[in-house]
Amino acid sequence: MSISRLTRLHRAGVAAGALLLLAACDQPASADKAAAAPPPASAQQKGATVEDAVRFVERAEAQLAEAREHSGRLAWVMNTYITPDTLKLSSEAGAAYSALVAKLTAESKQFVGLDLPADVARKLSLLRNETALPSPADAALNKELAELDAKLGELYATGKVCRDDGSDCKTLDEIDDIFRSSRDEKELRRLWTGWHTVAQPMRPLYQREAEIANIGAKELGLTDTGALWRSGYDMKPEEFEAETDRLWEQVKPLYTALHCYARTKLGEKYGTDVVPQDKPIPAHLLGNMWAQEWGNIYDIVAPKQATRNVDVTALLTKAGYDPIKMTKSAEGFFTGLGFASMPQTFWDRSMLTRPKDREVVCHASAWDIDDKDDIRIKMCMRVNGDDFQTIHHEMGHNIYQRAYKAQSTLFRNGANDGFHEAIGDFIALSVTPGYLVKLGLLDKEPSTDGDIGLLLQQAMDKVAFMPFGLLIDKWRWDVFSGKTKPEDYNKAWWDLRVKYQGVAAPVERTEADFDPGAKNHVATSVPYVRYFLARILQFQFHQAACQQAGYTGPLHRCSIAGNTEVGKRFNAMLEMGASKPWPEALKTFTGSDKMDAGAMLAYFAPLKDWLDKQNEGKSCGW
């Protein structure tokens, strides 16, 4: 679930590598020549002026705007119609766009040391973070990097799991459905193993991709690609890493309590021989291929005497919802806050369900094709509670994209990438039982007797996700820095999964495997810590919005649906885009300039007390 455009750090994309990025107004050949040119002299050598810098930024933004729209249209075709031809076009376009960014970045070095206006200096900084895979000046390496990106994305997007005889082949979204409902431990283990096998061929490709990207990062003056990624948060890379560690330490006690409780219940379900009560949880038993969110196994962990929780999937099915009606419902939430309706082109051009006649990238994403009003969603939607939440999330991206469209090109982005992911999830927090009553899906709001169950179900997704949201990029930061060597890729991956998540592989893993590549965002080089930050920010946004609305009850019961005054203040933050450092944007809406997990802990406080009681006498940890 993310936005997809090729701006800064892939503009968040979910592309399948060059599946999502890419192209430029120049043809690949001319772009390669530009990239191969030597970088300009320093400001002192050439005598560059502030006026030169201003003109350069204006020209660069014009070129980027044209390139983004062209590449966005090409990437859309690639993602919704995967063929050898569209893959080749994406690869070539990726090289062209990367070359354009490399050329502009090289030119920008002439302005180092000048006392620039704040907005110009900020744009030059954002330019450096324009892509997640920094392209080297060498044209051949640039081309190779784009081809590797495209191939890794293709391997992921077209992966299937078949039985030994080649029959019963299943796509990832079909496997997702099985993980959502199956409690057959052996079948889940087979599918888990099969999907991770898809990633094995990626290993040498990924190693080479990291090597080339590091060359590009060094040419930008960074130590490695991971340092480049961490430099996009208005603080030094090492300060940002320390900030993520601080946020994790805030949340860790809540996660540990949830893990302990879930492990107990899984042991009761599958037996303690399958789920030992003093070790990590087997990764295939948590209702999700990556054990990143656990809400699908709520039926296993639900409190025995608790009031039955709201089954959104059943409510949607009973009410005759289809993907279009689910999308219209999400639109209605935003118009209720005072935002404009989706343009007609959204309905004409979005892909909301999986086509039956071709290969597509199903990973849900929101698109901004022209940086104006051509906004779209690409999703293989099914009628269930998860996708009802997801469509609110993705439309939140579209709302953000349209809010900052008046900004100049390099400022058309989130205040930081965590903001973009937090917007939709913040809105989804208001899809409470009370809101479902307003939609006519429930006759009346359930009593508070079921609140522990409701909070537990939410925590199984939102809290359970936190360590996974952090460790993916911790693994990649170590790969890029050289701390993790290629011969230890898989060992380092599982060391982090055990350390942070407390989960373990259900079958033996070796260095013949490349399990990180079984996750879309690794295969497609999309930075992931944004999702970790989004979990923190969404609760900060929610708490601030509820306070603005004058709400005084339990935070988890608050819905801002229909509150246009909150919507107006929210839009004031969205319109800023990336024009100001994220602490300023955060303060505009929340009153605080610091990310903090306190709002999340306040939201789940009743659950934490309950979990601690359930875990009394248990040996928690792993």
Side-chain angles (χ1 to χ4, degrees):
M1 296 177 288
S2 48
I3 59 171
S4 177
R5 283 282 280 116
L6 98 173
T7 59
R8 185 170 144 212
L9 297 182
H10 282 197
R11 193 65 157 314
V14 276
L19 300 193
L20 280 197
L21 278 143
L22 317 172
C25 50
D26 295 301
Q27 294 301 313
S30 62
D32 286 348
K33 290 178 182 177
S42 69
Q44 290 76 12
Q45 292 173 316
K46 190 176 179 181
T49 66
V50 171
E51 291 72 23
D52 292 333
V54 172
R55 286 193 293 271
F56 167 78
V57 167
E58 291 175 350
R59 174 170 58 85
E61 288 196 296
Q63 290 179 319
L64 289 170
E66 183 178 357
R68 286 177 183 179
E69 181 172 355
H70 176 71
S71 57
R73 296 187 188 283
L74 185 63
W76 178 265
V77 174
M78 169 62 251
N79 275 252
T80 59
Y81 205 104
I82 302 174
T83 70
D85 292 329
T86 58
L87 280 165
K88 186 174 189 299
L89 290 171
S90 283
S91 175
E92 291 174 349
Y97 187 81
S98 294
L100 173 63
V101 173
K103 172 179 176 291
L104 293 173
T105 303
E107 287 184 42
S108 73
K109 293 176 184 177
Q110 65 184 294
F111 307 115
V112 172
L114 290 178
D115 185 13
L116 299 171
D119 63 330
V120 175
R122 183 165 180 79
K123 287 178 180 179
L124 291 175
S125 176
L126 293 174
L127 175 63
R128 187 180 68 176
N129 289 97
E130 183 70 6
T131 61
L133 293 175
S135 177
D138 183 275
L141 289 177
N142 178 25
K143 182 174 182 291
E144 183 183 0
L145 182 63
E147 290 172 347
L148 289 166
D149 195 29
K151 183 61 179 178
L152 284 164
E154 177 192 8
L155 288 170
Y156 188 93
T158 59
K160 292 181 175 66
V161 176
C162 307
R163 295 192 180 276
D164 292 342
D165 61 2
S167 65
D168 190 28
C169 294
K170 296 187 184 302
T171 62
L172 181 58
D173 50 316
E174 291 171 328
I175 296 171
D176 281 344
D177 284 337
I178 296 172
F179 267 74
R180 179 176 289 108
S181 58
S182 176
R183 302 296 175 253
D184 184 335
E185 188 272 331
K186 291 183 179 179
E187 177 66 359
L188 292 171
R189 184 164 13 115
R190 180 186 75 83
L191 292 171
W192 187 97
T193 305
W195 181 252
H196 283 73
T197 301
V198 167
Q200 288 176 346
M202 298 181 190
R203 187 186 181 100
L205 305 180
Y206 188 86
Q207 179 181 343
R208 180 59 178 160
E209 182 181 68
E211 291 170 354
I212 298 175
N214 272 347
I215 294 172
K218 286 181 171 66
E219 291 177 5
L220 294 176
L222 279 299
T223 56
D224 58 73
T225 304
L228 175 67
W229 290 9
R230 297 191 302 277
S231 71
Y233 295 94
D234 298 302
M235 59 180 70
K236 295 178 181 179
E238 60 272 19
E239 292 173 343
F240 176 70
E241 187 167 8
E243 180 71 354
T244 60
D245 288 339
R246 180 186 68 82
L247 293 169
W248 166 241
E249 288 301 320
Q250 283 187 280
V251 177
K252 186 176 178 180
L254 175 58
Y255 176 81
T256 301
L258 182 68
H259 180 283
C260 189
Y261 175 77
R263 183 173 63 187
T264 298
K265 291 298 182 181
L266 286 166
E268 294 172 0
K269 172 67 177 179
Y270 294 104
T272 54
D273 56 330
V274 176
V275 187
Q277 296 299 289
D278 57 351
K279 294 182 180 179
I281 300 172
H284 65 309
L285 299 179
L286 289 160
N288 174 273
M289 178 60 73
W290 309 278
Q292 69 181 62
E293 294 172 331
W294 307 347
N296 289 329
I297 63 162
Y298 177 74
D299 59 301
I300 295 177
V301 304
K304 291 181 179 179
Q305 305 302 321
T307 302
R308 190 172 184 273
N309 208 355
V310 176
D311 186 340
V312 178
T313 300
L315 294 175
L316 294 170
T317 303
K318 181 180 179 181
Y321 272 64
D322 60 17
I324 295 294
K325 192 171 183 180
M326 290 167 66
T327 307
K328 288 285 187 182
S329 182
E331 179 189 41
F333 190 101
F334 288 101
T335 57
L337 293 177
F339 292 96
S341 302
M342 292 291 105
Q344 184 57 43
T345 51
F346 172 90
W347 302 103
D348 295 339
R349 300 171 185 175
S350 290
M351 185 192 87
L352 300 177
T353 58
R354 177 189 273 274
K356 297 181 179 179
D357 61 342
R358 61 188 188 271
E359 293 282 1
V360 300
V361 178
C362 266
H363 190 90
S365 55
W367 292 63
D368 177 12
I369 299 295
D370 63 358
D371 273 340
K372 296 175 184 175
D373 292 301
D374 190 352
I375 49 181
R376 312 177 188 180
I377 286 175
K378 174 186 65 62
M379 186 173 172
C380 298
M381 201 184 309
R382 291 150 294 180
V383 180
N384 60 54
D386 286 347
D387 283 1
F388 190 61
Q389 294 276 339
T390 298
I391 190 58
H392 284 79
H393 171 97
E394 298 302 339
M395 193 168 287
H397 285 307
N398 286 155
I399 293 295
Y400 202 175
Q401 289 161 338
R402 194 158 55 166
Y404 56 59
K405 69 179 182 180
Q407 295 285 350
S408 56
T409 301
L410 285 166
F411 288 161
R412 290 175 192 152
N413 207 345
N416 68 38
D417 51 15
F419 272 65
H420 236 306
E421 297 303 330
I423 299 306
D425 281 346
F426 150 57
I427 293 300
L429 289 175
S430 283
V431 183
T432 60
Y435 178 64
L436 297 178
V437 172
K438 291 183 179 180
L439 291 180
L441 289 170
L442 277 177
D443 294 331
K444 62 180 181 178
E445 188 171 354
S447 71
T448 57
D449 293 344
D451 280 9
I452 289 299
L454 177 66
L455 286 169
L456 177 59
Q457 188 166 33
Q458 287 181 300
M460 292 288 282
D461 282 338
K462 295 185 179 296
V463 177
F465 174 83
M466 295 301 287
F468 187 77
L470 181 59
L471 71 86
I472 282 192
D473 278 357
K474 278 191 171 288
W475 180 82
R476 288 190 287 193
W477 296 342
D478 286 348
V479 167
F480 288 133
S481 72
K483 180 179 178 181
T484 293
K485 307 297 182 185
E487 59 268 24
D488 294 321
Y489 276 174
N490 225 45
K491 177 182 182 300
W493 173 256
W494 284 106
D495 285 349
L496 288 171
R497 303 263 335 243
V498 170
K499 176 181 177 180
Y500 285 94
Q501 273 189 293
V503 303
V507 297
E508 183 181 358
R509 313 310 288 160
T510 71
E511 292 303 324
D513 299 304
F514 184 62
D515 294 332
K519 177 61 180 171
N520 171 75
H521 298 69
V522 174
T524 61
S525 292
V526 177
Y528 205 75
V529 75
R530 66 188 61 177
Y531 303 105
F532 173 83
L533 299 179
R535 291 301 197 276
I536 301 294
L537 288 166
Q538 66 185 263
F539 288 98
Q540 281 189 264
F541 294 156
H542 183 65
Q543 186 178 59
C546 293
Q547 289 170 350
Q548 292 166 23
Y551 179 82
T552 58
L555 195 54
H556 62 275
R557 282 267 175 166
C558 172
S559 177
I560 61 165
N563 193 313
T564 56
E565 184 58 33
V566 172
K568 186 183 302 181
R569 296 179 67 168
F570 185 48
N571 188 55
M573 178 181 72
L574 302 186
E575 287 179 337
M576 295 171 68
S579 65
K580 301 292 182 183
W582 65 260
E584 293 186 37
L586 181 63
K587 191 170 184 177
T588 296
F589 185 59
T590 69
S592 171
D593 61 1
K594 185 177 182 181
M595 289 187 287
D596 190 80
M600 173 186 268
L601 300 180
Y603 188 97
F604 289 108
L607 176 67
K608 177 62 163 60
D609 291 341
W610 183 84
L611 287 171
D612 288 343
K613 292 178 181 177
Q614 308 309 306
N615 293 332
E616 287 178 357
K618 303 285 196 316
S619 177
C620 296
W622 51 89

